[in-house]
Amino acid sequence: MDKSPQPEYRAGYVALVGRPNAGKSTLLNRLVGQKIAAVSDKPQTTRFKIQGVITEPRGQIVLVDTPGVHKPGYEMNRRMMATVQDALMGVDLVCLIRDASVRSGAGDKFVLELIQRAKKPTVLLLNKIDLLKDKSALLPLIESYRTEYDWSEVIPVSALKGQAMDALPGELIKHLPAGEPIFAEDELTDQSVRTMVAEIVREKILQTMGDEIPYVTAVVVEQWSEEREDFTRINCAIFVERASQKKIVIGKGAERLKAIGIQARQEIESLLGHRCHLELFVKVEKDWRDKVQLLNEMGIS
C-alpha cells in the first residue's frame, strides 16, 4: 500500500491576458475541451469575462478569458479594458499570452506594463509556435521577456495545434493556492446557455463577413421559447450601426444572413443536445457602442 503523502489540492482563478488575436479564446477552449468562447481572427472578439473550469485530481483551474488589450475609444472599449484591470486584480495567477510568430510592437509593451503594475504571479505563454519555421527564433524573444519580469514559468505552446498543451494544466495548478474546489466537478463554465448562443451567432458573423464590415456587430437573444423538451425556438437580434452595414450582413436575397443562421444553428443544436429554430434579425442602432443601457443588456458591464 502506497503511504507516500499526496500533493495538496490547489484551486484558484487564472486570467488569460494578451493583445487581440494572441489566441486567448482558442487556448481557453482547448484547455476546457469544449468551445465556450467565440473564436475569430478579428480583434475584440471577447468582450467580457468568460470563465472556463478545468478540474483534475490535483486541483481546479478557473480560467478567466479577457478582451484583447487595446486603447479604449468607445464606452464599450472602456468597459472592456476595465474588465481586464478587474481580472488582473482579482485572480491568483495571470497568463500572458504572446503571439510568438510576430515582431514586438507598442501593443506588446503596453500589455507588459499592465503585468508589471499588477505585480501578480504570471506565466508567460508564447503561443502560435506552430507558425515558426525555425524554433530557435524563440530564444531572443524569451531572453527579452526574462529581463522585463520575474515570470513564474515561460512556456512555448500552440493552442490551435495542441502542442505542449497537455502539461500546461499541471504547470498552472502548482502556482495556485491550496484550497477546496470553487466549482462542481462537472461544471465547465459560469456562462448561461443564452450567452453562449449569442456568442456562437456572433462568431459566425465574424467568420462569414471577412473584411466586408467593420467590427461593429453585437448579438442579443431577444426570445427563447422551449416549446418541447426536444425543441427550442430562439430569436436573436444582430445590432449594427448603419443601414449600409445592415444590407451587407443580410446580403443579396438574404443569402449571407441565411448562411450565418445555418452555421450557427448547427452549433447551437450541438450545444443544446436537441433541435432548435433560429431566427435572426438585423437592427440598426446608431452608436450602440456608446449606449450604456444597450451595453448592459449585452452583458458588457
Side-chain angles (χ1 to χ4, degrees):
M1 183 176 178
D2 183 10
K3 293 185 179 181
S4 58
Q6 295 299 310
E8 200 169 21
Y9 195 90
R10 297 180 177 273
Y13 291 85
V14 179
L16 304 180
V17 177
R19 293 185 64 189
N21 302 334
K24 297 181 301 299
S25 296
T26 302
L27 186 129
L28 171 64
N29 293 334
R30 169 74 68 171
L31 285 173
V32 175
Q34 177 177 320
K35 186 191 290 188
I36 59 173
V39 177
S40 167
D41 59 359
K42 295 173 178 54
Q44 300 174 30
T45 302
T46 301
R47 288 176 176 164
F48 44 74
K49 289 187 289 185
I50 295 175
Q51 296 183 339
V53 183
I54 304 166
T55 302
E56 297 195 351
R58 53 193 162 173
Q60 185 179 82
I61 306 166
V62 182
L63 293 169
V64 180
D65 189 20
T66 64
V69 175
H70 61 284
K71 290 185 178 180
Y74 294 92
E75 171 66 18
M76 180 188 78
N77 304 95
R78 288 190 286 274
R79 290 184 178 208
M80 289 163 67
M81 289 304 93
T83 293
V84 177
Q85 296 282 7
D86 288 347
L88 286 173
M89 294 299 103
V91 298
D92 303 292
L93 180 69
V94 177
C95 277
L96 171 57
I97 292 89
R98 166 68 157 83
D99 183 348
S101 69
V102 298
R103 299 179 67 177
S104 296
D108 297 297
K109 184 178 180 182
F110 181 59
V111 179
L112 184 57
E113 288 172 353
L114 288 179
I115 298 296
Q116 291 168 335
R117 287 200 297 270
K119 297 179 180 178
K120 291 273 185 173
T122 304
V123 172
L124 174 62
L125 297 181
L126 299 175
N127 192 26
K128 303 188 182 182
I129 60 172
D130 55 296
L131 299 180
L132 296 175
K133 292 182 180 179
D134 182 5
K135 297 297 188 291
S136 65
L138 282 170
L139 297 177
L141 182 63
I142 291 172
E143 189 59 33
S144 171
Y145 269 89
R146 284 197 187 278
T147 64
E148 298 290 347
Y149 197 72
D150 183 16
W151 308 100
S152 300
E153 305 277 354
V154 178
I155 307 173
V157 301
S158 170
L160 183 63
K161 300 296 185 180
Q163 296 176 14
M165 293 292 290
D166 289 344
L168 185 56
E171 294 298 320
L172 299 181
I173 286 172
K174 72 183 186 183
H175 294 291
L176 295 178
E180 296 298 312
I182 299 165
F183 286 85
E185 188 175 341
D186 59 350
E187 290 184 279
L188 294 178
T189 180
D190 67 341
Q191 296 298 295
S192 70
V193 175
R194 293 191 187 199
T195 298
M196 293 170 71
V197 164
E199 283 290 281
I200 289 170
V201 173
R202 195 162 63 87
E203 177 186 83
K204 301 311 173 190
I205 295 168
L206 294 170
Q207 292 175 349
T208 303
M209 298 308 301
D211 296 323
E212 291 188 66
I213 188 170
Y215 190 81
V216 289
T217 58
V219 179
V220 175
V221 176
E222 293 196 331
Q223 184 178 345
W224 185 287
S225 175
E226 296 182 1
E227 302 194 355
R228 298 192 308 267
E229 284 189 6
D230 62 347
F231 185 77
T232 303
R233 189 177 296 276
I234 305 169
N235 289 359
C236 291
I238 300 170
F239 287 90
V240 295
E241 292 191 324
R242 296 194 299 269
S244 59
Q245 295 166 352
K246 178 177 179 178
K247 291 180 180 178
I248 294 172
V249 173
I250 293 174
K252 187 176 181 180
E255 285 302 314
R256 184 172 283 123
L257 190 63
K258 289 178 183 175
I260 292 168
I262 290 170
Q263 294 174 47
R265 180 178 54 79
Q266 292 172 344
E267 200 161 303
I268 291 167
E269 288 183 340
S270 176
L271 174 69
L272 299 177
H274 60 247
R275 290 177 55 242
C276 77
H277 174 81
L278 177 65
E279 194 79 32
L280 301 179
F281 304 91
V282 184
K283 295 185 176 182
V284 178
E285 187 74 43
K286 187 179 178 182
D287 299 326
W288 66 261
R289 288 176 290 177
D290 271 326
K291 294 188 175 179
V292 172
Q293 183 175 346
L294 192 54
L295 291 172
N296 290 341
E297 291 176 8
M298 294 173 184
I300 309 174
S301 57

Short mmCIF file of all heavy atoms in Angstrom, two decimals, residues 100 129 132-143:
data_model
loop_
_atom_site.label_atom_id
_atom_site.label_comp_id
_atom_site.label_asym_id
_atom_site.label_seq_id
_atom_site.Cartn_x
_atom_site.Cartn_y
_atom_site.Cartn_z
N ALA A 100 3.98 34.44 -30.57
CA ALA A 100 5.42 34.34 -30.81
C ALA A 100 5.78 34.44 -32.28
O ALA A 100 6.97 34.52 -32.62
CB ALA A 100 5.94 33.01 -30.25
N ILE A 129 3.54 28.73 -31.79
CA ILE A 129 4.87 28.27 -32.19
C ILE A 129 4.81 27.39 -33.43
O ILE A 129 5.83 27.16 -34.09
CB ILE A 129 5.57 27.49 -31.04
CG1 ILE A 129 4.74 26.26 -30.63
CG2 ILE A 129 5.80 28.41 -29.85
CD1 ILE A 129 5.45 25.36 -29.64
N LEU A 132 6.21 29.04 -36.53
CA LEU A 132 7.65 29.32 -36.62
C LEU A 132 8.36 28.20 -37.37
O LEU A 132 8.34 27.05 -36.93
CB LEU A 132 8.25 29.47 -35.22
CG LEU A 132 7.75 30.64 -34.36
CD1 LEU A 132 8.37 30.56 -32.97
CD2 LEU A 132 8.08 31.97 -35.01
N LYS A 133 8.98 28.52 -38.47
CA LYS A 133 9.76 27.52 -39.22
C LYS A 133 11.01 27.13 -38.44
O LYS A 133 11.43 25.97 -38.43
CB LYS A 133 10.14 28.08 -40.59
CG LYS A 133 8.94 28.28 -41.52
CD LYS A 133 9.39 28.80 -42.88
CE LYS A 133 8.19 28.99 -43.81
NZ LYS A 133 8.61 29.51 -45.14
N ASP A 134 11.61 28.11 -37.78
CA ASP A 134 12.83 27.87 -37.00
C ASP A 134 12.53 28.18 -35.54
O ASP A 134 12.38 29.34 -35.15
CB ASP A 134 13.96 28.77 -37.52
CG ASP A 134 15.28 28.53 -36.78
OD1 ASP A 134 15.33 27.61 -35.93
OD2 ASP A 134 16.24 29.29 -37.04
N LYS A 135 12.43 27.14 -34.73
CA LYS A 135 12.06 27.32 -33.32
C LYS A 135 13.14 28.07 -32.53
O LYS A 135 12.86 28.61 -31.46
CB LYS A 135 11.81 25.95 -32.66
CG LYS A 135 10.63 25.18 -33.27
CD LYS A 135 9.32 25.90 -33.06
CE LYS A 135 8.11 25.05 -33.48
NZ LYS A 135 8.02 24.84 -34.92
N SER A 136 14.36 28.12 -33.06
CA SER A 136 15.42 28.87 -32.35
C SER A 136 15.12 30.36 -32.32
O SER A 136 15.72 31.10 -31.53
CB SER A 136 16.78 28.63 -33.02
OG SER A 136 16.80 29.18 -34.33
N ALA A 137 14.16 30.80 -33.15
CA ALA A 137 13.76 32.20 -33.14
C ALA A 137 13.09 32.58 -31.82
O ALA A 137 12.97 33.76 -31.49
CB ALA A 137 12.81 32.48 -34.30
N LEU A 138 12.67 31.58 -31.05
CA LEU A 138 12.06 31.84 -29.74
C LEU A 138 13.08 32.34 -28.72
O LEU A 138 12.73 33.07 -27.78
CB LEU A 138 11.42 30.54 -29.20
CG LEU A 138 10.08 30.12 -29.77
CD1 LEU A 138 9.74 28.71 -29.31
CD2 LEU A 138 8.99 31.10 -29.35
N LEU A 139 14.34 31.94 -28.89
CA LEU A 139 15.35 32.23 -27.86
C LEU A 139 15.53 33.72 -27.58
O LEU A 139 15.49 34.14 -26.41
CB LEU A 139 16.68 31.57 -28.25
CG LEU A 139 16.64 30.04 -28.34
CD1 LEU A 139 18.00 29.50 -28.80
CD2 LEU A 139 16.27 29.43 -26.99
N PRO A 140 15.71 34.57 -28.60
CA PRO A 140 15.85 36.01 -28.28
C PRO A 140 14.58 36.61 -27.69
O PRO A 140 14.66 37.52 -26.86
CB PRO A 140 16.20 36.64 -29.64
CG PRO A 140 15.80 35.63 -30.67
CD PRO A 140 15.95 34.30 -30.03
N LEU A 141 13.41 36.09 -28.10
CA LEU A 141 12.15 36.58 -27.54
C LEU A 141 12.04 36.23 -26.06
O LEU A 141 11.66 37.07 -25.23
CB LEU A 141 10.97 36.00 -28.32
CG LEU A 141 9.57 36.46 -27.88
CD1 LEU A 141 9.42 37.96 -28.08
CD2 LEU A 141 8.50 35.70 -28.67
N ILE A 142 12.40 34.98 -25.73
CA ILE A 142 12.38 34.55 -24.33
C ILE A 142 13.35 35.38 -23.50
O ILE A 142 13.03 35.85 -22.40
CB ILE A 142 12.72 33.05 -24.23
CG1 ILE A 142 11.58 32.20 -24.83
CG2 ILE A 142 12.96 32.64 -22.77
CD1 ILE A 142 11.91 30.73 -24.95
N GLU A 143 14.55 35.58 -24.03
CA GLU A 143 15.58 36.35 -23.31
C GLU A 143 15.11 37.78 -23.08
O GLU A 143 15.32 38.35 -21.99
CB GLU A 143 16.89 36.33 -24.11
CG GLU A 143 18.07 36.92 -23.37
CD GLU A 143 18.38 36.19 -22.07
OE1 GLU A 143 18.17 34.96 -22.02
OE2 GLU A 143 18.81 36.85 -21.10
#
